Amino acid sequence: MGISVSSAWSIDNKAIQLFIISFCALFIEMALIRIIPGYIRIVSYFSNLILIASFFGLGIGYMLANNRINMFKWFYLALFPIPALVLFFNKTAVRPTSGIEVFWLAYNKMLNDISLLPVIFLVFGIVAVFFIPLGQKMGQLFSELSPLSCYSVNIAGSIAGVVIFSLFSYLNWGPISWVISGLAPLIVLYKRYYKRYAIPSIVFVAMIIMLYAGQKPDETWSPYYKINVDTMVPELSYMLTVNDDNHQWPMHLSSSEPASKSPMQSPFYSYYNFLYQNNRYESILILGAGTGNDIDAALLNGTAQIDAVEIDPTIISIGKKIHPDKPYSDPRVTIINDDARTFINNTKKKYDLVIIGLIDSHTLHSNLPGIRLDNYIYTLESFRQLSKLLNPDRGVLSVNFCQTSKWMTERMRNMLTLAFHQQPLYIIQSTAPITIDTFLSGPGVYSGEEIKPAELKSLTAQNLPTDDWPYLYMLKRGIPMHYLIIISGILLLSCVSVYGALQNKKHFDIFFFSLGAGFMILETKAIVVLSRSFGSTWTINTVVVVTVLFFVLLGVLVISKIRRNLVGLSYGALFATIVTGWLISYYYPDILLTSPSKYYYVCISLVPTFFASIIFTHYFQRCNDRALALGSNLFGGVVGGFSEYISMYSGLNNLWWVALTFYLVSYLCKSRNKLSSINIKE
């Protein structure tokens, strides 16, 4: 007998339920990575912990799949702490505890002051608890469906979640739309509990109201930030904030007497115009154009052609609307919505002046620990590339940077000295309310004698940011103490939680754990490589995640179609591609700067996820406890996420070896049939 179309698409269909929960889990995870940092600003620098917390919660849920307590029935009660956090931290400052890493935090009118660590642990716990009921329900559905079918549906739902959330980001839709789209589908799964949808619907509406109460009337969400435009400062026409932190002030630079308008505007007027006091530039490149002040100054001083690069499309749109001089509307300006480093890599043009504006990013690059959106602009390799964009007889590079410590000034000076083989001119632009360092380098700048080779060699031994170690805001190599405390605390919590969840199990499964840890690092490496090749934009991050999930789905397809045992071949190919990836990155560090070689390296970085998927799928379809396998795998993802912090000491390239280590552990587990509590039919 056949299956009717109506029953196949019924909500009672287990595959449909799994698709819905998989979609919602990924969608909500991405939404929380945006919402929580938008209101708790310090979390912007720790947003990878939200991803790890979601893995933690889902992993615990999977392990509780056979528990007699149905946690999914109470899922919506776990929603309230999140909007409560939003409301509370609207008026609460969170202070960092370490001076080894710089955070941009300029608080205004905050009622309370809380230290960093309790807040991070609180956020982690609330997010983890939120995902436990979802993990339990998914674990139950995995046990009721065939292995390959449920895994394929899970991956398909995850891909749908990534794509739909990315569409919402493109449309600049904010938290209310995210919450509705991410949680409303789950209501239909509640029909067995209480009076169908009454209780979850009431909770759902209450959460929307709480989130709405936390929003400001002029709030906009770009693909990177929560943005507000207000006139809270009387002396300025507008003030643009990102994640509630002062970021940009569109200024009326064409005014006849702007310096006399306010003490606050006067130093900035001098800052934007000093480059043109004794020079005229025909062509200018502006990196980090923002709302348009640098463009405005260049236009007012007679520049003939300007390329303005800005990564955030929403900030460009706001600049077009609110800047009093409308610099983006001038025909001499070419607007480039792209990552600055990508533009530097790809352009063949030469410029009289290149300006790196006050970028000082307030968010992470992606889910990479400690790497922010602007870090790859301020590396030694980046400055060397910029030196090639300057006209050889008169070109000038102007690097403008907000600094809070002397070591940041020395670091920037040393990088420019190495890149240009001469000391840059150093100018302190303003000391109130912030200190702005301006460095001038290039053939159009004379700052003294050329640096001797011996002096250059001594600089290379210092902790200078490179493409492999792009940690601009860290004083030195190493994992700062606040990260070590956070990692230790969460790992301890993980051990206690796993022990509690596995009381009726044999023991934790090291094999699937190792696969999860290794895969997490492979995905991180793929993000690093593609971001350096094509830009640190939100679209590239989306493409990486979808591509990795596609390779996982492709691995499932291969296992379903080919009956031969491909594990040995896949392990060999996996080890070979990982080692090849490290060898290329070590011996040819500039491979991502040229075409078509960078495309080959991108493929090498992505292909290991395919072989890893074949290995996981082969054993997953043969195991007798799929919920425990998935739970162990997700906890591997937690440890893999924390293992990425090793790059703060060793550099990003050495993450290849960390991934290889985890996969070697998994290989030894199965080859010796040890350290696995799950029976697998070979």
Side-chain angles (χ1 to χ4, degrees):
M1 294 180 62
I3 300 175
S4 67
V5 174
S6 59
S7 64
W9 291 97
S10 169
I11 193 60
D12 292 322
N13 187 306
K14 302 298 183 183
I16 297 297
Q17 293 183 23
L18 181 58
F19 181 89
I20 291 174
I21 296 182
S22 301
F23 165 84
C24 292
L26 209 298
F27 190 97
I28 295 168
E29 174 191 305
M30 297 185 72
L32 292 180
I33 289 173
R34 297 288 312 284
I35 292 173
I36 294 177
Y39 293 101
I40 310 176
R41 287 159 41 201
I42 191 69
V43 181
S44 297
Y45 303 105
F46 297 86
S47 59
N48 61 308
L49 291 178
I50 299 176
L51 172 66
I52 294 174
S54 67
F55 278 29
F56 179 93
L58 290 172
I60 289 292
Y62 278 123
M63 292 180 178
L64 294 173
N66 297 323
N67 194 286
R68 59 183 180 82
I69 300 175
N70 188 346
M71 297 182 179
F72 187 69
K73 183 167 64 174
W74 307 101
F75 166 69
Y76 276 88
L77 296 181
L79 297 176
F80 276 114
I82 295 175
L85 278 176
V86 170
L87 292 175
F88 178 75
F89 282 98
N90 258 350
K91 293 296 181 181
T92 303
V94 182
R95 304 292 180 181
T97 57
S98 172
I100 197 173
E101 186 177 18
V102 175
F103 301 98
W104 300 120
L105 301 168
Y107 292 97
N108 297 308
K109 301 180 181 178
M110 294 298 182
L111 302 180
N112 305 296
D113 192 315
I114 301 177
S115 62
L116 168 68
L117 296 177
V119 173
I120 295 299
F121 285 121
L122 176 65
V123 170
F124 185 91
I126 287 175
V127 173
V129 169
F130 179 83
F131 280 94
I132 290 175
L134 289 180
Q136 186 189 47
K137 184 65 175 179
M138 293 170 70
Q140 292 167 352
L141 292 171
F142 265 87
S143 300
E144 296 174 13
L145 296 168
S146 64
L148 294 186
S149 297
C150 65
Y151 193 41
S152 299
V153 170
N154 174 247
I155 298 302
S158 299
I159 291 175
V162 174
V163 172
I164 298 300
F165 187 83
S166 299
L167 176 62
F168 283 19
S169 296
Y170 174 77
L171 297 173
N172 293 127
W173 291 2
I176 301 300
S177 63
W178 301 342
V179 170
I180 292 174
S181 302
L183 297 178
L186 293 174
I187 294 180
V188 299
L189 301 181
Y190 259 75
K191 66 178 185 178
R192 296 178 180 175
Y193 310 123
Y194 303 102
K195 295 181 179 180
R196 296 180 75 83
Y197 312 130
I199 291 180
S201 297
I202 291 171
V203 176
F204 179 70
V205 171
M207 182 180 180
I208 297 295
I209 293 172
M210 293 174 72
L211 275 176
Y212 183 78
Q215 288 189 327
K216 297 179 181 179
D218 60 345
E219 197 166 283
T220 304
W221 289 76
S222 82
Y224 304 96
Y225 300 112
K226 180 188 75 173
I227 299 176
N228 293 98
V229 179
D230 53 52
T231 55
M232 292 175 61
V233 182
E235 300 91 345
L236 303 175
S237 55
Y238 294 100
M239 180 172 65
L240 185 146
T241 66
V242 297
N243 296 346
D244 293 326
D245 199 2
N246 300 344
H247 193 53
Q248 297 181 28
W249 298 270
M251 296 182 180
H252 193 23
L253 298 178
S254 63
S255 174
S256 57
E257 297 180 352
S260 64
K261 285 190 173 182
S262 76
M264 189 173 186
Q265 184 166 341
S266 179
F268 285 99
Y269 177 82
S270 301
Y271 158 75
Y272 284 113
N273 283 281
F274 92 98
L275 283 171
Y276 310 97
Q277 292 175 358
N278 301 308
N279 297 284
R280 180 182 177 87
Y281 305 99
E282 293 299 319
S283 59
I284 294 180
L285 169 63
I286 299 173
L287 303 173
T291 51
N293 287 337
D294 286 296
I295 305 172
D296 193 25
L299 292 171
L300 292 173
N301 285 278
T303 303
Q305 189 270 323
I306 301 171
D307 287 341
V309 180
E310 170 58 45
I311 194 172
D312 196 324
T314 305
I315 289 181
I316 293 175
S317 177
I318 291 172
K320 290 179 179 178
K321 294 177 182 177
I322 70 172
H323 199 288
D325 292 337
K326 305 296 180 185
Y328 276 117
S329 301
D330 194 287
R332 291 172 288 175
V333 178
T334 301
I335 304 171
I336 300 153
N337 179 208
D338 198 359
D339 171 55
R341 181 62 188 276
T342 304
F343 181 83
I344 295 170
N345 292 349
N346 296 332
T347 187
K348 303 298 182 185
K349 298 176 68 174
K350 299 287 186 180
Y351 298 92
D352 292 341
L353 174 64
V354 176
I355 299 174
I356 299 180
L358 297 173
I359 299 175
D360 49 88
S361 175
H362 293 63
T363 190
L364 290 189
H365 171 280
S366 55
N367 290 317
L368 298 169
I371 301 180
R372 305 178 195 175
L373 203 59
D374 59 344
N375 279 39
Y376 280 111
I377 302 171
Y378 301 108
T379 67
L380 184 58
E381 292 88 346
S382 176
F383 286 135
R384 284 171 174 161
Q385 286 179 274
L386 283 167
S387 69
K388 300 175 183 178
L389 301 186
L390 301 176
N391 280 320
D393 56 339
R394 61 186 183 277
V396 175
L397 170 66
S398 173
V399 181
N400 306 283
F401 193 77
C402 296
Q403 62 93 354
T404 59
S405 305
K406 289 184 178 180
W407 63 264
M408 295 179 68
T409 300
E410 288 305 310
R411 170 170 287 178
M412 197 65 65
R413 189 202 312 271
N414 291 339
M415 279 196 291
L416 290 169
T417 300
L418 275 174
F420 288 88
H421 289 198
Q422 69 176 36
Q423 286 275 5
L425 282 178
Y426 172 53
I427 303 167
I428 299 178
Q429 291 280 57
S430 173
T431 57
I434 55 176
T435 299
I436 302 175
D437 286 346
T438 295
F439 295 91
L440 301 179
S441 295
V445 177
Y446 178 74
S447 59
E449 296 182 2
E450 186 172 325
I451 303 299
K452 298 178 180 179
E455 296 179 57
L456 292 175
K457 187 176 181 180
S458 68
L459 291 178
T460 59
Q462 301 185 28
N463 291 306
L464 300 181
T466 64
D467 284 350
D468 183 48
W469 191 80
Y471 296 99
L472 171 69
Y473 299 101
M474 286 180 55
L475 174 61
K476 58 184 179 180
R477 287 178 178 260
I479 305 176
M481 183 56 66
H482 54 270
Y483 288 114
L484 292 174
I485 295 173
I486 292 169
I487 293 170
S488 300
I490 293 175
L491 289 179
L492 178 62
L493 176 63
S494 300
C495 293
V496 173
S497 301
V498 170
Y499 176 79
L502 294 180
Q503 287 183 351
N504 297 323
K505 306 279 184 181
K506 291 178 65 177
H507 58 73
F508 189 67
D509 192 85
I510 300 297
F511 171 70
F512 282 102
F513 168 86
S514 301
L515 292 181
F519 193 85
M520 183 73 167
I521 297 173
L522 289 182
E523 184 177 6
T524 297
K525 282 299 302 179
I527 292 174
V528 170
V529 171
L530 266 77
S531 296
R532 285 178 56 192
S533 300
F534 305 110
S536 302
T537 62
W538 68 276
T539 51
I540 293 300
N541 289 332
T542 299
V543 168
V544 174
V545 174
V546 172
T547 302
V548 169
L549 290 174
F550 171 78
F551 274 123
V552 172
L553 204 57
L554 185 60
V556 176
L557 179 63
V558 169
I559 291 294
S560 66
K561 298 297 183 182
I562 301 177
R563 300 302 179 183
R564 295 176 56 191
N565 188 330
L566 301 175
V567 170
L569 178 63
S570 297
Y571 263 118
L574 176 63
F575 294 153
T577 51
I578 289 176
V579 172
T580 301
W582 180 84
L583 288 172
I584 292 175
S585 62
Y586 184 81
Y587 289 104
Y588 303 98
D590 295 334
I591 190 171
L592 294 176
L593 306 181
T594 58
S595 297
S597 57
K598 69 178 180 181
Y599 296 103
Y600 302 143
Y601 189 56
V602 165
C603 291
I604 290 173
S605 301
L606 286 170
V607 165
T609 61
F610 170 67
F611 297 119
S613 173
I614 290 178
I615 295 168
F616 175 86
T617 306
H618 171 87
Y619 287 111
F620 179 70
Q621 72 168 339
R622 291 167 169 79
C623 70
N624 68 331
D625 193 336
R626 295 194 287 276
L628 177 58
L630 287 168
S632 301
N633 189 257
L634 284 171
F635 271 105
V638 171
V639 174
F642 285 137
S643 298
E644 294 166 4
Y645 286 87
I646 294 173
S647 64
M648 292 182 171
Y649 175 77
S650 66
L652 293 167
N653 286 340
N654 286 321
L655 288 180
W656 285 118
W657 294 114
V658 180
L660 183 65
T661 300
F662 281 118
Y663 279 109
L664 281 171
V665 170
S666 72
Y667 180 78
L668 293 174
C669 285
K670 276 304 143 200
S671 63
R672 298 183 180 183
N673 198 26
K674 293 181 178 180
L675 299 179
S676 179
S677 62
I678 299 175
N679 293 323
I680 298 177
K681 300 176 182 178
E682 293 293 346

